[in-house]
Amino acid sequence: MRSEREILLDIDHPFIIKLVNTYQDDRSLYMLLRLVQGGELFSVLHTDTRDGVSEKAAMFYSAGILEGLSYMHRRNILYRDLKPENVLVDSKGYTVIVDLGFAKIVPDKTYTLCGTPLYLAPEVILSRGHDRGADYWSWGVLLYEMVIGQTPFYEHGLDQIGLFKRIVKGKFTYPPFASASEDVQELINGCLVIRSSDRLGNLAGGDRDLKSHAWYDKMDWTRLVE
């Protein structure tokens, strides 16, 4: 709790939940957060009638999440639990990253196994040490889920060990029904690379390699955060 409070007090970004104040009494600790009305991104992606959203919507949602992650990474903060349940959509439709319970200041690498199984990077599962590349892997999984309507490494009846085996092998496909463009597939494939040092977002160009990708050709990054 103390670590989460210190990190939240140190950051101020429109796409990350804002801590207003903290309080305590004899029995409890309280965190007063900025109100975000709109519900979870999960509820947007998965409804009674469909799974996933259009590429145009995915572009907008994923860009906001990427901006939030990039802001944290510039401050050596790893988020480490990206999933649609931890992203809210505000009243204007913008994404807001919440729940920084696993966030950690990491100048180099950390070895703690934490996160949500479906979105874990191979190096996290294998305890080889992870850096911001693990967040970009999770971002790639989430982008796949936005566009395709399901996560890339899960299949019906698969247990957690089986899931982890598929993740560390890094093998996934696009379903026959998928209508994902070549550009978004290329972007996702660049994030879901087993070796962290070869992963988009974790190369020398950093997040610029993601933002300058052809799929984001029509994205005005400056206006997005204004």
Side-chain angles (χ1 to χ4, degrees):
M1 284 293 296
R2 185 178 295 113
S3 174
E4 182 177 6
R5 175 183 180 274
E6 290 174 355
I7 289 175
L8 283 170
L9 286 173
D10 189 49
I11 58 180
D12 185 11
H13 193 276
F15 301 150
I16 305 173
I17 193 68
K18 178 65 176 175
L19 177 65
V20 179
N21 210 338
T22 56
Y23 312 90
Q24 70 180 68
D25 56 26
D26 293 338
R27 299 180 60 184
S28 303
L29 298 171
Y30 305 91
M31 300 176 74
L32 178 61
L33 304 169
R34 178 170 64 90
L35 177 64
V36 179
Q37 289 182 301
E40 296 178 354
L41 179 60
F42 183 90
S43 300
V44 177
L45 300 183
H46 304 289
T47 70
D48 293 337
T49 57
R50 60 162 173 78
D51 291 293
V53 294
S54 68
E55 281 196 34
K56 184 177 181 180
M59 187 180 299
F60 177 70
Y61 291 138
S62 65
I65 297 167
L66 179 57
E67 282 286 4
L69 289 178
S70 298
Y71 175 88
M72 286 189 273
H73 292 165
R74 288 194 295 271
R75 286 155 179 77
N76 292 324
I77 300 169
L78 304 187
Y79 178 62
R80 305 197 300 171
D81 197 20
L82 185 62
K83 56 184 177 180
E85 293 91 335
N86 281 350
V87 178
L88 299 182
V89 180
D90 71 13
S91 58
K92 295 182 179 179
Y94 290 92
T95 53
V96 180
I97 298 173
V98 300
D99 192 352
L100 275 71
F102 285 151
K104 184 178 182 180
I105 298 175
V106 181
D108 184 23
K109 285 188 176 183
T110 184
Y111 294 82
T112 309
L113 173 60
C114 64
T116 301
L118 287 169
Y119 304 87
L120 289 179
E123 64 271 21
V124 178
I125 294 171
L126 296 172
S127 298
R128 291 177 175 171
H130 58 276
D131 53 20
R132 65 182 182 179
D135 279 342
Y136 289 127
W137 172 282
S138 301
W139 182 85
V141 172
L142 181 52
L143 179 56
Y144 182 104
E145 184 177 0
M146 290 185 200
V147 174
I148 305 301
Q150 62 191 43
T151 53
F153 299 102
Y154 179 77
E155 59 182 26
H156 182 70
L158 193 67
D159 61 14
Q160 185 166 295
I161 298 300
L163 172 65
F164 284 173
K165 287 181 178 179
R166 293 195 66 183
I167 291 173
V168 298
K169 290 179 180 177
K171 294 183 178 180
F172 67 97
T173 60
Y174 294 88
F177 63 80
S179 59
S181 66
E182 290 185 8
D183 282 341
V184 75
Q185 289 188 42
E186 182 182 75
L187 179 56
I188 292 169
N189 294 345
C191 291
L192 301 185
V193 173
I194 296 177
R195 184 188 288 270
S196 176
S197 59
D198 295 334
R199 197 173 296 155
L200 275 183
N202 213 27
L203 304 174
D207 64 329
R208 295 187 300 275
D209 291 336
L210 297 169
K211 294 178 180 179
S212 62
H213 191 275
W215 190 62
Y216 280 124
D217 184 53
K218 296 181 180 180
M219 174 61 63
D220 188 331
W221 294 96
T222 302
R223 289 191 62 191
L224 179 67
V225 295
E226 285 181 348

